Amino acid sequence: MALCAKQNETTCNPSGNNGDSDASGWSQQALYAACTQCPRSCKIDRASGKRGFCAENAGLRIAVACLHFGEEPLITVHGGSGTIFLTGCNLRCAFCQNYQISQQGMGRAVTKQEFAEICLRLQDAGAENINLVTGSHHIPVLAEGLSEARRQGLTLPVCWNSSGYDSPEMLALLDGLVTIYLPDLKTLSPVLSRQLCAAEDYAEKAKAALKWMISHNPLKIVEVEKKGEKKEKMLQGVIIRHLFLPGRFDETAAVLDWLKNNADGKAIISLMSQYTPVPFKDTESELARRTKALSAIENRLVNKSEDADLQDLIAAYDFEYLFYQDLSDDTSWLPDFTRTQPFSNALAKPLWHWRDGFLND
């Protein structure tokens, strides 16, 4: 990339290659100079410090790194998932629980070396994998950072945890570096995705990305034992998440139908019933925008009747491998990234925070 800022500024170049092409032939300078990394293709010159739709320039920013125990069992296993929450996002989901980092810019810039060190410290802390949350707008620098971490001794599988609004052409840069994919399939409705996520083409692009992920990452699950307890662990493959939106049962039925026809037996399905209204803190105009967008659904917890209907639906489809959450009215898990411990103590063990750096130093 063209610019490398000072340590505390926001446009640090994690690759350190000043825009030169790597061995595979792609140029970070070109990929950021007129950005088309994600389906938005907003063509903003992020290399010069301008910010794209994702609200980020070419500097990689991170909010929190932690051992996370709330992911699917195949990802959490014994030691928890080594989760790195990245700043920025190429969607603007009105209901986003991570809005502080995805839409309000919470986080700080890290160098390639600091990113690699975060990965290695998570490995030393017992993480089962490195779980990159919301990185679709930063694939080139993440590819460089992961390569550096591998050179320094990272051996864990890497998980790509995304909204599903990804470009297969850019995902190819991660081939061999990432072996586990954890994408969403939020909706198949262009109307709903336009209102909730500001992306009318979400379904079209997400379906193409999911098909790429599945075709390049056949399932590989092993059994691991720790202190006499055996659990399954994913080393490679795809887990597709779908969050049920209250009052929109038909949307979930359509998504599950597509997954049955395109992913059953080739990927694992994770149907989530954890939709929770978020107590957003924002400007008056932004809160009004969210309220208008959320009018497309019923902004409330999932009720027992819906839970029963969902369980009947998944029984009818009889997926080969599916996770389903138990219904709960507990909202204490909602994160607050202003805190060093953004989650409940049972859900995560923080290792690095945007404000404090490494927490055990």
Side-chain angles (χ1 to χ4, degrees):
M1 282 173 281
L3 299 177
C4 185
K6 297 177 182 179
Q7 179 67 29
N8 292 326
E9 295 178 351
T10 59
T11 52
C12 185
N13 178 357
S15 71
N17 68 5
N18 294 319
D20 295 336
S21 297
D22 79 343
S24 63
W26 52 268
S27 164
Q28 285 196 15
Q29 173 69 27
L31 291 172
Y32 279 97
C35 189
T36 57
Q37 290 185 47
C38 83
R40 295 277 178 196
S41 282
C42 60
K43 298 183 180 179
I44 299 297
D45 183 4
R46 295 170 62 195
S48 69
K50 296 179 181 178
R51 298 182 184 274
F53 183 93
C54 59
E56 294 299 302
N57 53 35
L60 179 66
R61 295 199 294 158
I62 295 176
V64 169
C66 62
L67 294 177
H68 200 301
F69 302 97
E71 306 285 40
E72 284 78 0
L74 291 173
I75 304 297
T76 302
V77 201
H78 294 288
S81 182
T83 306
I84 301 175
F85 290 89
L86 306 171
T87 304
C89 182
N90 64 347
L91 289 183
R92 289 182 183 158
C93 296
F95 51 84
C96 181
Q97 69 190 48
N98 296 340
Y99 76 101
Q100 293 166 311
I101 58 176
S102 65
Q103 298 171 26
Q104 292 186 337
M106 196 172 289
R108 76 164 171 85
V110 297
T111 63
K112 178 175 68 175
Q113 176 56 41
E114 189 171 9
F115 173 82
E117 187 176 358
I118 289 171
C119 293
L120 293 169
R121 294 239 196 154
L122 287 168
Q123 178 171 267
D124 291 344
E128 303 284 353
N129 45 67
I130 300 299
N131 184 348
L132 303 176
V133 181
T134 318
S136 304
H137 54 296
H138 266 316
I139 288 179
V141 293
L142 289 170
E144 281 290 313
L146 290 171
S147 296
E148 179 61 26
R150 293 285 189 217
R151 285 191 287 270
Q152 294 188 30
L154 180 69
T155 59
L156 295 176
V158 176
C159 173
W160 188 252
N161 188 335
S162 82
S163 69
Y165 198 51
D166 288 303
S167 163
E169 293 77 16
M170 292 302 300
L171 290 175
L173 299 184
L174 300 172
D175 214 9
L177 292 169
V178 172
T179 58
I180 301 170
Y181 285 83
L182 191 59
D184 296 336
L185 184 54
K186 297 178 183 294
T187 178
L188 297 183
S189 166
V191 174
L192 192 60
S193 62
R194 180 181 67 245
Q195 185 161 357
L196 288 177
C197 307
E200 188 171 5
D201 64 348
Y202 171 83
E204 172 194 349
K205 302 302 184 181
K207 287 190 290 185
L210 266 57
K211 288 178 178 178
W212 185 95
M213 295 173 189
I214 291 170
S215 68
H216 286 75
N217 296 275
L219 291 170
K220 183 177 181 182
I221 299 170
V222 299
E223 188 175 72
V224 293
E225 183 175 352
K226 184 176 182 180
K227 296 181 179 179
E229 185 180 13
K230 294 181 179 180
K231 292 185 177 182
E232 288 186 317
K233 176 177 180 175
M234 177 177 277
L235 300 180
Q236 179 178 291
V238 182
I239 300 176
I240 303 171
R241 288 172 164 173
H242 172 68
L243 174 65
F244 171 70
L245 301 173
R248 301 302 295 249
F249 184 83
D250 289 348
E251 294 293 337
T252 290
V255 168
L256 290 183
D257 190 70
W258 188 88
L259 291 173
K260 182 65 179 181
N261 291 319
N262 292 276
D264 192 25
K266 297 178 285 186
I268 291 165
I269 313 305
S270 181
L271 179 57
M272 302 186 294
S273 60
Q274 67 179 27
Y275 183 92
T276 305
V278 178
F280 295 106
K281 297 179 181 179
D282 216 321
T283 64
E284 190 172 317
S285 62
E286 183 61 17
L287 290 173
R289 183 196 70 82
R290 287 188 189 279
T291 299
K292 181 179 179 181
L294 289 171
S295 67
I297 60 175
E298 297 176 19
N299 189 29
R300 56 168 173 77
L301 296 174
V302 177
N303 61 43
K304 292 181 180 179
S305 175
E306 289 169 323
D307 178 61
D309 288 343
L310 289 172
Q311 293 196 45
D312 288 343
L313 185 63
I314 59 178
Y317 274 114
D318 191 27
F319 283 96
E320 186 172 319
Y321 206 144
L322 178 143
F323 292 113
Y324 181 67
Q325 290 177 315
D326 292 331
L327 188 66
S328 173
D329 59 3
D330 179 20
T331 63
S332 64
W333 58 269
L334 282 173
D336 180 356
F337 292 94
T338 64
R339 302 191 309 238
T340 301
Q341 167 55 293
F343 303 92
S344 68
N345 290 333
L347 198 60
K349 181 180 179 181
L351 179 143
W352 185 98
H353 188 267
W354 65 272
R355 190 176 51 235
D356 304 306
F358 289 105
L359 301 176
N360 294 325
D361 289 351

